[in-house]
Amino acid sequence: MRYILAIFFLLLSFSFSLEVEVVEDFNPNTNIETIKEPQVEQQKIIKKDNQKPKKETKIKEPKKNNITLTKKTNKKLKKSKKGVLVIIIDDISHRFQLNEIKNLHIKITPSIFPPNKMNMHSNLLAKGLKHYLIHLPLESHSKAMNRMHKTLFTYYSKKQIINRVKEIRRLFPNAKYVNNHTGSVFCANYKKSKILYKALLDNGFKFVDSRTTQKTKFKKIAKEFGRRYIKNDMFLDNKLSVNATLNQIKKAIYLAKHNGFAIVIGHPHPTTFKALKLAKKYLKDVEVKYLDEVYWFRKL
């Protein structure tokens, strides 16, 4: 019976992680913007540090990093030559999934679904948890994905969006972060995304863009609100294969070391957990941290 339940939940989790179509795989030999630009900016930063200018309050922000590199935070980055890696596991609806994460003994940040048909009391999973996000369903191009309980649609009014965020706050009174589940349609809608972003800020949330579409408006919106744009850099498990996921983890490690910092997202698949277990020896090359442990995020 235990194995039958495991297979059942595997199929469910697979169906809710289909829309991860946009964040490109990293290849060190290609001209990917998220790799190249931060590298240039970091070289400039190191040069400035070596020159020891008389007055230095802030160093120019890298175009694609999610942080403000003040002199103080830059020292923290240099102190950790390994680089910082944040691993998020989306689509959490059940206690056994949290147990799988806990058993890895890796600092992984779970992203918990609000109450849904798989578990109408999923908010209770956050009780006693210090490190987690809320995985908020947003409208996508997939009719199947849009059946997720209380998905936010672009045709919703401003009041409906705000009331949903207030409901999320009541369900998760101690939560700090929200990231989107799917959302290829919603995130590309500037007007509705801005309403959602402001509602999240007003209710004490920080938004992490899962980047399920290249047309996301949240980078522009974050800038308009004077906030740092926090984003997913890559998905780990678009392919349900241990070897493929392990290769993605290695790329994530390279990305973190290369840029000094990276956020990556996986899902609660057995193949993902197995790959993470096998990756422990490689993860020693970076500092794996919970999202809210990262110094500059706490100051946002």
Side-chain angles (χ1 to χ4, degrees), residues 10-22 90-91 113 135 140 142-145 181-184 212 235 237-240 267 269:
L10 168 61
L11 292 173
L12 281 178
S13 64
F14 173 67
S15 66
F16 285 107
S17 58
L18 291 176
E19 187 183 78
V20 290
E21 72 266 17
V22 178
D90 281 348
D91 297 357
F113 273 131
H135 199 39
S140 72
S142 168
K143 290 182 180 180
M145 295 297 103
H181 171 67
T182 65
S184 56
T212 56
F235 288 101
D237 48 13
N238 286 353
K239 295 180 181 179
L240 297 184
H267 300 85
H269 305 306

PDB file of all heavy atoms in Angstrom, residues 10-22 90-91 113 135 140 142-145 181-184 212 235 237-240 267 269:
ATOM      1  N   LEU A  10       3.445  10.637  -6.829  1.00  0.00           N
ATOM      2  CA  LEU A  10       4.417  10.968  -7.875  1.00  0.00           C
ATOM      3  C   LEU A  10       3.706  11.482  -9.108  1.00  0.00           C
ATOM      4  O   LEU A  10       4.078  12.481  -9.695  1.00  0.00           O
ATOM      5  CB  LEU A  10       5.244   9.719  -8.217  1.00  0.00           C
ATOM      6  CG  LEU A  10       6.116   9.824  -9.483  1.00  0.00           C
ATOM      7  CD1 LEU A  10       7.132  10.940  -9.316  1.00  0.00           C
ATOM      8  CD2 LEU A  10       6.817   8.503  -9.761  1.00  0.00           C
ATOM      9  N   LEU A  11       2.623  10.779  -9.494  1.00  0.00           N
ATOM     10  CA  LEU A  11       1.865  11.195 -10.675  1.00  0.00           C
ATOM     11  C   LEU A  11       1.233  12.558 -10.467  1.00  0.00           C
ATOM     12  O   LEU A  11       1.202  13.388 -11.363  1.00  0.00           O
ATOM     13  CB  LEU A  11       0.773  10.144 -10.986  1.00  0.00           C
ATOM     14  CG  LEU A  11       1.292   8.773 -11.474  1.00  0.00           C
ATOM     15  CD1 LEU A  11       0.154   7.787 -11.583  1.00  0.00           C
ATOM     16  CD2 LEU A  11       1.992   8.918 -12.832  1.00  0.00           C
ATOM     17  N   LEU A  12       0.730  12.800  -9.230  1.00  0.00           N
ATOM     18  CA  LEU A  12       0.135  14.094  -8.940  1.00  0.00           C
ATOM     19  C   LEU A  12       1.166  15.206  -9.009  1.00  0.00           C
ATOM     20  O   LEU A  12       0.944  16.240  -9.622  1.00  0.00           O
ATOM     21  CB  LEU A  12      -0.497  14.069  -7.533  1.00  0.00           C
ATOM     22  CG  LEU A  12      -1.869  13.381  -7.416  1.00  0.00           C
ATOM     23  CD1 LEU A  12      -2.330  13.392  -5.978  1.00  0.00           C
ATOM     24  CD2 LEU A  12      -2.894  14.089  -8.296  1.00  0.00           C
ATOM     25  N   SER A  13       2.316  14.987  -8.349  1.00  0.00           N
ATOM     26  CA  SER A  13       3.337  16.020  -8.340  1.00  0.00           C
ATOM     27  C   SER A  13       3.859  16.286  -9.721  1.00  0.00           C
ATOM     28  O   SER A  13       4.182  17.408 -10.084  1.00  0.00           O
ATOM     29  CB  SER A  13       4.484  15.636  -7.403  1.00  0.00           C
ATOM     30  OG  SER A  13       5.132  14.488  -7.869  1.00  0.00           O
ATOM     31  N   PHE A  14       3.941  15.249 -10.569  1.00  0.00           N
ATOM     32  CA  PHE A  14       4.403  15.431 -11.947  1.00  0.00           C
ATOM     33  C   PHE A  14       3.446  16.322 -12.726  1.00  0.00           C
ATOM     34  O   PHE A  14       3.837  17.204 -13.457  1.00  0.00           O
ATOM     35  CB  PHE A  14       4.537  14.072 -12.628  1.00  0.00           C
ATOM     36  CG  PHE A  14       4.846  14.175 -14.101  1.00  0.00           C
ATOM     37  CD1 PHE A  14       6.062  14.674 -14.514  1.00  0.00           C
ATOM     38  CD2 PHE A  14       3.917  13.794 -15.040  1.00  0.00           C
ATOM     39  CE1 PHE A  14       6.356  14.780 -15.860  1.00  0.00           C
ATOM     40  CE2 PHE A  14       4.202  13.892 -16.382  1.00  0.00           C
ATOM     41  CZ  PHE A  14       5.424  14.392 -16.809  1.00  0.00           C
ATOM     42  N   SER A  15       2.125  16.109 -12.489  1.00  0.00           N
ATOM     43  CA  SER A  15       1.133  16.872 -13.240  1.00  0.00           C
ATOM     44  C   SER A  15       1.166  18.342 -12.869  1.00  0.00           C
ATOM     45  O   SER A  15       0.810  19.198 -13.656  1.00  0.00           O
ATOM     46  CB  SER A  15      -0.265  16.298 -12.995  1.00  0.00           C
ATOM     47  OG  SER A  15      -0.653  16.490 -11.659  1.00  0.00           O
ATOM     48  N   PHE A  16       1.622  18.678 -11.641  1.00  0.00           N
ATOM     49  CA  PHE A  16       1.636  20.068 -11.215  1.00  0.00           C
ATOM     50  C   PHE A  16       2.984  20.745 -11.407  1.00  0.00           C
ATOM     51  O   PHE A  16       3.202  21.836 -10.956  1.00  0.00           O
ATOM     52  CB  PHE A  16       1.215  20.187  -9.743  1.00  0.00           C
ATOM     53  CG  PHE A  16      -0.260  20.016  -9.552  1.00  0.00           C
ATOM     54  CD1 PHE A  16      -0.760  18.851  -8.991  1.00  0.00           C
ATOM     55  CD2 PHE A  16      -1.140  20.993  -9.973  1.00  0.00           C
ATOM     56  CE1 PHE A  16      -2.110  18.686  -8.826  1.00  0.00           C
ATOM     57  CE2 PHE A  16      -2.489  20.833  -9.804  1.00  0.00           C
ATOM     58  CZ  PHE A  16      -2.982  19.680  -9.240  1.00  0.00           C
ATOM     59  N   SER A  17       3.905  20.089 -12.076  1.00  0.00           N
ATOM     60  CA  SER A  17       5.205  20.720 -12.320  1.00  0.00           C
ATOM     61  C   SER A  17       5.551  20.712 -13.794  1.00  0.00           C
ATOM     62  O   SER A  17       6.709  20.740 -14.169  1.00  0.00           O
ATOM     63  CB  SER A  17       6.294  20.013 -11.504  1.00  0.00           C
ATOM     64  OG  SER A  17       6.339  18.657 -11.836  1.00  0.00           O
ATOM     65  N   LEU A  18       4.523  20.668 -14.643  1.00  0.00           N
ATOM     66  CA  LEU A  18       4.761  20.608 -16.078  1.00  0.00           C
ATOM     67  C   LEU A  18       5.193  21.952 -16.642  1.00  0.00           C
ATOM     68  O   LEU A  18       5.947  22.021 -17.588  1.00  0.00           O
ATOM     69  CB  LEU A  18       3.482  20.131 -16.798  1.00  0.00           C
ATOM     70  CG  LEU A  18       3.103  18.666 -16.550  1.00  0.00           C
ATOM     71  CD1 LEU A  18       1.788  18.364 -17.230  1.00  0.00           C
ATOM     72  CD2 LEU A  18       4.194  17.728 -17.044  1.00  0.00           C
ATOM     73  N   GLU A  19       4.701  23.054 -16.055  1.00  0.00           N
ATOM     74  CA  GLU A  19       4.973  24.331 -16.664  1.00  0.00           C
ATOM     75  C   GLU A  19       6.246  24.933 -16.100  1.00  0.00           C
ATOM     76  O   GLU A  19       6.249  25.796 -15.263  1.00  0.00           O
ATOM     77  CB  GLU A  19       3.820  25.305 -16.452  1.00  0.00           C
ATOM     78  CG  GLU A  19       4.067  26.584 -17.264  1.00  0.00           C
ATOM     79  CD  GLU A  19       2.996  27.609 -17.047  1.00  0.00           C
ATOM     80  OE1 GLU A  19       3.023  28.268 -16.017  1.00  0.00           O
ATOM     81  OE2 GLU A  19       2.149  27.723 -17.923  1.00  0.00           O
ATOM     82  N   VAL A  20       7.338  24.452 -16.564  1.00  0.00           N
ATOM     83  CA  VAL A  20       8.634  24.982 -16.192  1.00  0.00           C
ATOM     84  C   VAL A  20       9.431  25.179 -17.473  1.00  0.00           C
ATOM     85  O   VAL A  20      10.583  24.795 -17.582  1.00  0.00           O
ATOM     86  CB  VAL A  20       9.378  24.047 -15.204  1.00  0.00           C
ATOM     87  CG1 VAL A  20       8.695  24.069 -13.858  1.00  0.00           C
ATOM     88  CG2 VAL A  20       9.413  22.606 -15.731  1.00  0.00           C
ATOM     89  N   GLU A  21       8.773  25.874 -18.429  1.00  0.00           N
ATOM     90  CA  GLU A  21       9.259  25.769 -19.787  1.00  0.00           C
ATOM     91  C   GLU A  21      10.310  26.778 -20.198  1.00  0.00           C
ATOM     92  O   GLU A  21      10.901  26.659 -21.239  1.00  0.00           O
ATOM     93  CB  GLU A  21       8.067  25.904 -20.760  1.00  0.00           C
ATOM     94  CG  GLU A  21       7.490  27.301 -20.859  1.00  0.00           C
ATOM     95  CD  GLU A  21       6.331  27.501 -19.924  1.00  0.00           C
ATOM     96  OE1 GLU A  21       6.175  26.703 -19.007  1.00  0.00           O
ATOM     97  OE2 GLU A  21       5.584  28.457 -20.120  1.00  0.00           O
ATOM     98  N   VAL A  22      10.599  27.799 -19.364  1.00  0.00           N
ATOM     99  CA  VAL A  22      11.296  28.912 -19.950  1.00  0.00           C
ATOM    100  C   VAL A  22      12.733  29.095 -19.515  1.00  0.00           C
ATOM    101  O   VAL A  22      13.577  29.435 -20.298  1.00  0.00           O
ATOM    102  CB  VAL A  22      10.512  30.215 -19.669  1.00  0.00           C
ATOM    103  CG1 VAL A  22      11.253  31.401 -20.223  1.00  0.00           C
ATOM    104  CG2 VAL A  22       9.140  30.103 -20.335  1.00  0.00           C
ATOM    105  N   ASP A  90       9.570  23.053  -5.051  1.00  0.00           N
ATOM    106  CA  ASP A  90       8.184  23.491  -5.208  1.00  0.00           C
ATOM    107  C   ASP A  90       7.191  22.346  -4.972  1.00  0.00           C
ATOM    108  O   ASP A  90       7.575  21.190  -4.756  1.00  0.00           O
ATOM    109  CB  ASP A  90       7.968  24.025  -6.626  1.00  0.00           C
ATOM    110  CG  ASP A  90       8.504  25.445  -6.810  1.00  0.00           C
ATOM    111  OD1 ASP A  90       8.839  26.096  -5.814  1.00  0.00           O
ATOM    112  OD2 ASP A  90       8.576  25.896  -7.973  1.00  0.00           O
ATOM    113  N   ASP A  91       5.908  22.692  -5.066  1.00  0.00           N
ATOM    114  CA  ASP A  91       4.794  21.721  -5.126  1.00  0.00           C
ATOM    115  C   ASP A  91       4.630  20.869  -3.872  1.00  0.00           C
ATOM    116  O   ASP A  91       4.221  19.706  -3.949  1.00  0.00           O
ATOM    117  CB  ASP A  91       4.963  20.785  -6.336  1.00  0.00           C
ATOM    118  CG  ASP A  91       4.913  21.514  -7.664  1.00  0.00           C
ATOM    119  OD1 ASP A  91       4.695  22.736  -7.659  1.00  0.00           O
ATOM    120  OD2 ASP A  91       5.095  20.864  -8.708  1.00  0.00           O
ATOM    121  N   PHE A 113       2.218  24.567  -1.273  1.00  0.00           N
ATOM    122  CA  PHE A 113       0.961  24.978  -1.886  1.00  0.00           C
ATOM    123  C   PHE A 113      -0.012  25.492  -0.818  1.00  0.00           C
ATOM    124  O   PHE A 113      -0.101  24.918   0.276  1.00  0.00           O
ATOM    125  CB  PHE A 113       0.286  23.788  -2.571  1.00  0.00           C
ATOM    126  CG  PHE A 113       0.714  23.549  -3.990  1.00  0.00           C
ATOM    127  CD1 PHE A 113       1.077  22.274  -4.399  1.00  0.00           C
ATOM    128  CD2 PHE A 113       0.718  24.579  -4.924  1.00  0.00           C
ATOM    129  CE1 PHE A 113       1.452  22.027  -5.720  1.00  0.00           C
ATOM    130  CE2 PHE A 113       1.088  24.352  -6.238  1.00  0.00           C
ATOM    131  CZ  PHE A 113       1.453  23.072  -6.638  1.00  0.00           C
ATOM    132  N   HIS A 135       3.726  28.603  -2.387  1.00  0.00           N
ATOM    133  CA  HIS A 135       3.749  28.351  -3.835  1.00  0.00           C
ATOM    134  C   HIS A 135       2.383  28.725  -4.417  1.00  0.00           C
ATOM    135  O   HIS A 135       1.451  27.925  -4.431  1.00  0.00           O
ATOM    136  CB  HIS A 135       4.071  26.869  -4.072  1.00  0.00           C
ATOM    137  CG  HIS A 135       4.562  26.574  -5.439  1.00  0.00           C
ATOM    138  ND1 HIS A 135       5.424  27.396  -6.127  1.00  0.00           N
ATOM    139  CD2 HIS A 135       4.318  25.510  -6.270  1.00  0.00           C
ATOM    140  CE1 HIS A 135       5.698  26.862  -7.297  1.00  0.00           C
ATOM    141  NE2 HIS A 135       5.029  25.728  -7.417  1.00  0.00           N
ATOM    142  N   SER A 140      -1.899  30.085 -16.270  1.00  0.00           N
ATOM    143  CA  SER A 140      -0.939  29.644 -17.284  1.00  0.00           C
ATOM    144  C   SER A 140      -1.666  29.393 -18.599  1.00  0.00           C
ATOM    145  O   SER A 140      -2.867  29.599 -18.720  1.00  0.00           O
ATOM    146  CB  SER A 140      -0.248  28.362 -16.821  1.00  0.00           C
ATOM    147  OG  SER A 140      -1.166  27.277 -16.886  1.00  0.00           O
ATOM    148  N   SER A 142      -1.927  26.452 -19.726  1.00  0.00           N
ATOM    149  CA  SER A 142      -2.404  25.076 -19.603  1.00  0.00           C
ATOM    150  C   SER A 142      -3.748  25.026 -18.873  1.00  0.00           C
ATOM    151  O   SER A 142      -3.858  25.450 -17.716  1.00  0.00           O
ATOM    152  CB  SER A 142      -1.376  24.227 -18.851  1.00  0.00           C
ATOM    153  OG  SER A 142      -1.923  22.992 -18.480  1.00  0.00           O
ATOM    154  N   LYS A 143      -4.766  24.493 -19.528  1.00  0.00           N
ATOM    155  CA  LYS A 143      -6.074  24.350 -18.893  1.00  0.00           C
ATOM    156  C   LYS A 143      -5.999  23.419 -17.694  1.00  0.00           C
ATOM    157  O   LYS A 143      -6.662  23.630 -16.673  1.00  0.00           O
ATOM    158  CB  LYS A 143      -7.093  23.828 -19.903  1.00  0.00           C
ATOM    159  CG  LYS A 143      -7.466  24.832 -20.985  1.00  0.00           C
ATOM    160  CD  LYS A 143      -8.519  24.270 -21.917  1.00  0.00           C
ATOM    161  CE  LYS A 143      -8.897  25.280 -22.992  1.00  0.00           C
ATOM    162  NZ  LYS A 143      -9.924  24.739 -23.921  1.00  0.00           N
ATOM    163  N   ALA A 144      -5.181  22.384 -17.816  1.00  0.00           N
ATOM    164  CA  ALA A 144      -5.030  21.434 -16.708  1.00  0.00           C
ATOM    165  C   ALA A 144      -4.416  22.115 -15.485  1.00  0.00           C
ATOM    166  O   ALA A 144      -4.884  21.929 -14.352  1.00  0.00           O
ATOM    167  CB  ALA A 144      -4.171  20.256 -17.141  1.00  0.00           C
ATOM    168  N   MET A 145      -3.384  22.914 -15.698  1.00  0.00           N
ATOM    169  CA  MET A 145      -2.749  23.621 -14.589  1.00  0.00           C
ATOM    170  C   MET A 145      -3.691  24.641 -13.971  1.00  0.00           C
ATOM    171  O   MET A 145      -3.675  24.880 -12.752  1.00  0.00           O
ATOM    172  CB  MET A 145      -1.478  24.326 -15.065  1.00  0.00           C
ATOM    173  CG  MET A 145      -0.370  23.415 -15.544  1.00  0.00           C
ATOM    174  SD  MET A 145       0.266  22.325 -14.247  1.00  0.00           S
ATOM    175  CE  MET A 145      -0.526  20.779 -14.700  1.00  0.00           C
ATOM    176  N   HIS A 181       3.496  29.362  -8.823  1.00  0.00           N
ATOM    177  CA  HIS A 181       3.315  28.062  -9.461  1.00  0.00           C
ATOM    178  C   HIS A 181       2.723  28.336 -10.835  1.00  0.00           C
ATOM    179  O   HIS A 181       1.675  28.970 -10.945  1.00  0.00           O
ATOM    180  CB  HIS A 181       2.367  27.189  -8.637  1.00  0.00           C
ATOM    181  CG  HIS A 181       1.964  25.918  -9.318  1.00  0.00           C
ATOM    182  ND1 HIS A 181       2.854  24.907  -9.575  1.00  0.00           N
ATOM    183  CD2 HIS A 181       0.769  25.506  -9.804  1.00  0.00           C
ATOM    184  CE1 HIS A 181       2.223  23.912 -10.172  1.00  0.00           C
ATOM    185  NE2 HIS A 181       0.952  24.260 -10.342  1.00  0.00           N
ATOM    186  N   THR A 182       3.363  27.845 -11.892  1.00  0.00           N
ATOM    187  CA  THR A 182       3.007  28.164 -13.281  1.00  0.00           C
ATOM    188  C   THR A 182       2.946  29.691 -13.433  1.00  0.00           C
ATOM    189  O   THR A 182       3.770  30.390 -12.875  1.00  0.00           O
ATOM    190  CB  THR A 182       1.698  27.465 -13.706  1.00  0.00           C
ATOM    191  OG1 THR A 182       0.597  27.962 -12.952  1.00  0.00           O
ATOM    192  CG2 THR A 182       1.799  25.963 -13.535  1.00  0.00           C
ATOM    193  N   GLY A 183       1.991  30.222 -14.222  1.00  0.00           N
ATOM    194  CA  GLY A 183       1.884  31.678 -14.326  1.00  0.00           C
ATOM    195  C   GLY A 183       2.358  32.279 -15.631  1.00  0.00           C
ATOM    196  O   GLY A 183       2.607  33.489 -15.700  1.00  0.00           O
ATOM    197  N   SER A 184       2.488  31.489 -16.684  1.00  0.00           N
ATOM    198  CA  SER A 184       2.996  32.023 -17.951  1.00  0.00           C
ATOM    199  C   SER A 184       2.086  33.111 -18.527  1.00  0.00           C
ATOM    200  O   SER A 184       2.557  34.000 -19.235  1.00  0.00           O
ATOM    201  CB  SER A 184       3.173  30.895 -18.973  1.00  0.00           C
ATOM    202  OG  SER A 184       1.963  30.188 -19.170  1.00  0.00           O
ATOM    203  N   THR A 212       8.587  31.284 -15.179  1.00  0.00           N
ATOM    204  CA  THR A 212       7.999  30.279 -16.064  1.00  0.00           C
ATOM    205  C   THR A 212       7.713  30.858 -17.448  1.00  0.00           C
ATOM    206  O   THR A 212       7.177  30.159 -18.306  1.00  0.00           O
ATOM    207  CB  THR A 212       6.694  29.726 -15.463  1.00  0.00           C
ATOM    208  OG1 THR A 212       5.794  30.801 -15.204  1.00  0.00           O
ATOM    209  CG2 THR A 212       6.975  28.975 -14.174  1.00  0.00           C
ATOM    210  N   PHE A 235      15.804  25.598 -13.564  1.00  0.00           N
ATOM    211  CA  PHE A 235      15.096  24.442 -13.019  1.00  0.00           C
ATOM    212  C   PHE A 235      16.017  23.222 -13.042  1.00  0.00           C
ATOM    213  O   PHE A 235      16.831  23.071 -13.952  1.00  0.00           O
ATOM    214  CB  PHE A 235      13.826  24.144 -13.822  1.00  0.00           C
ATOM    215  CG  PHE A 235      12.732  25.147 -13.605  1.00  0.00           C
ATOM    216  CD1 PHE A 235      12.486  26.137 -14.532  1.00  0.00           C
ATOM    217  CD2 PHE A 235      11.945  25.095 -12.463  1.00  0.00           C
ATOM    218  CE1 PHE A 235      11.478  27.069 -14.336  1.00  0.00           C
ATOM    219  CE2 PHE A 235      10.934  26.018 -12.252  1.00  0.00           C
ATOM    220  CZ  PHE A 235      10.701  27.015 -13.189  1.00  0.00           C
ATOM    221  N   ASP A 237      14.874  19.860 -12.727  1.00  0.00           N
ATOM    222  CA  ASP A 237      14.303  18.561 -13.090  1.00  0.00           C
ATOM    223  C   ASP A 237      13.222  18.629 -14.165  1.00  0.00           C
ATOM    224  O   ASP A 237      12.169  18.003 -14.035  1.00  0.00           O
ATOM    225  CB  ASP A 237      13.769  17.854 -11.844  1.00  0.00           C
ATOM    226  CG  ASP A 237      12.897  18.767 -10.989  1.00  0.00           C
ATOM    227  OD1 ASP A 237      12.500  19.848 -11.451  1.00  0.00           O
ATOM    228  OD2 ASP A 237      12.596  18.384  -9.840  1.00  0.00           O
ATOM    229  N   ASN A 238      13.473  19.398 -15.209  1.00  0.00           N
ATOM    230  CA  ASN A 238      12.547  19.374 -16.350  1.00  0.00           C
ATOM    231  C   ASN A 238      12.444  17.960 -16.924  1.00  0.00           C
ATOM    232  O   ASN A 238      11.408  17.565 -17.455  1.00  0.00           O
ATOM    233  CB  ASN A 238      12.999  20.341 -17.436  1.00  0.00           C
ATOM    234  CG  ASN A 238      12.729  21.788 -17.047  1.00  0.00           C
ATOM    235  OD1 ASN A 238      12.099  22.064 -16.035  1.00  0.00           O
ATOM    236  ND2 ASN A 238      13.211  22.711 -17.849  1.00  0.00           N
ATOM    237  N   LYS A 239      13.542  17.215 -16.833  1.00  0.00           N
ATOM    238  CA  LYS A 239      13.555  15.813 -17.253  1.00  0.00           C
ATOM    239  C   LYS A 239      13.562  14.932 -16.009  1.00  0.00           C
ATOM    240  O   LYS A 239      14.409  15.105 -15.130  1.00  0.00           O
ATOM    241  CB  LYS A 239      14.783  15.510 -18.117  1.00  0.00           C
ATOM    242  CG  LYS A 239      14.799  16.252 -19.441  1.00  0.00           C
ATOM    243  CD  LYS A 239      16.043  15.902 -20.237  1.00  0.00           C
ATOM    244  CE  LYS A 239      16.079  16.651 -21.561  1.00  0.00           C
ATOM    245  NZ  LYS A 239      17.305  16.345 -22.349  1.00  0.00           N
ATOM    246  N   LEU A 240      12.633  13.991 -15.953  1.00  0.00           N
ATOM    247  CA  LEU A 240      12.542  13.114 -14.779  1.00  0.00           C
ATOM    248  C   LEU A 240      13.545  11.973 -14.896  1.00  0.00           C
ATOM    249  O   LEU A 240      13.199  10.824 -15.135  1.00  0.00           O
ATOM    250  CB  LEU A 240      11.117  12.581 -14.622  1.00  0.00           C
ATOM    251  CG  LEU A 240      10.044  13.638 -14.365  1.00  0.00           C
ATOM    252  CD1 LEU A 240       8.693  12.975 -14.127  1.00  0.00           C
ATOM    253  CD2 LEU A 240      10.414  14.517 -13.182  1.00  0.00           C
ATOM    254  N   HIS A 267      11.533  19.875  -7.880  1.00  0.00           N
ATOM    255  CA  HIS A 267      10.194  19.417  -7.513  1.00  0.00           C
ATOM    256  C   HIS A 267      10.304  18.105  -6.740  1.00  0.00           C
ATOM    257  O   HIS A 267      11.337  17.421  -6.830  1.00  0.00           O
ATOM    258  CB  HIS A 267       9.328  19.266  -8.766  1.00  0.00           C
ATOM    259  CG  HIS A 267       9.180  20.546  -9.527  1.00  0.00           C
ATOM    260  ND1 HIS A 267      10.122  20.952 -10.461  1.00  0.00           N
ATOM    261  CD2 HIS A 267       8.231  21.511  -9.482  1.00  0.00           C
ATOM    262  CE1 HIS A 267       9.745  22.133 -10.953  1.00  0.00           C
ATOM    263  NE2 HIS A 267       8.615  22.489 -10.384  1.00  0.00           N
ATOM    264  N   HIS A 269      10.044  15.025  -6.879  1.00  0.00           N
ATOM    265  CA  HIS A 269      10.056  13.757  -7.603  1.00  0.00           C
ATOM    266  C   HIS A 269      11.074  12.812  -6.956  1.00  0.00           C
ATOM    267  O   HIS A 269      12.129  13.268  -6.476  1.00  0.00           O
ATOM    268  CB  HIS A 269      10.458  13.972  -9.068  1.00  0.00           C
ATOM    269  CG  HIS A 269       9.621  14.973  -9.799  1.00  0.00           C
ATOM    270  ND1 HIS A 269       8.247  14.877  -9.856  1.00  0.00           N
ATOM    271  CD2 HIS A 269       9.965  16.076 -10.508  1.00  0.00           C
ATOM    272  CE1 HIS A 269       7.784  15.888 -10.575  1.00  0.00           C
ATOM    273  NE2 HIS A 269       8.791  16.632 -10.979  1.00  0.00           N
TER     274      HIS A 269
END
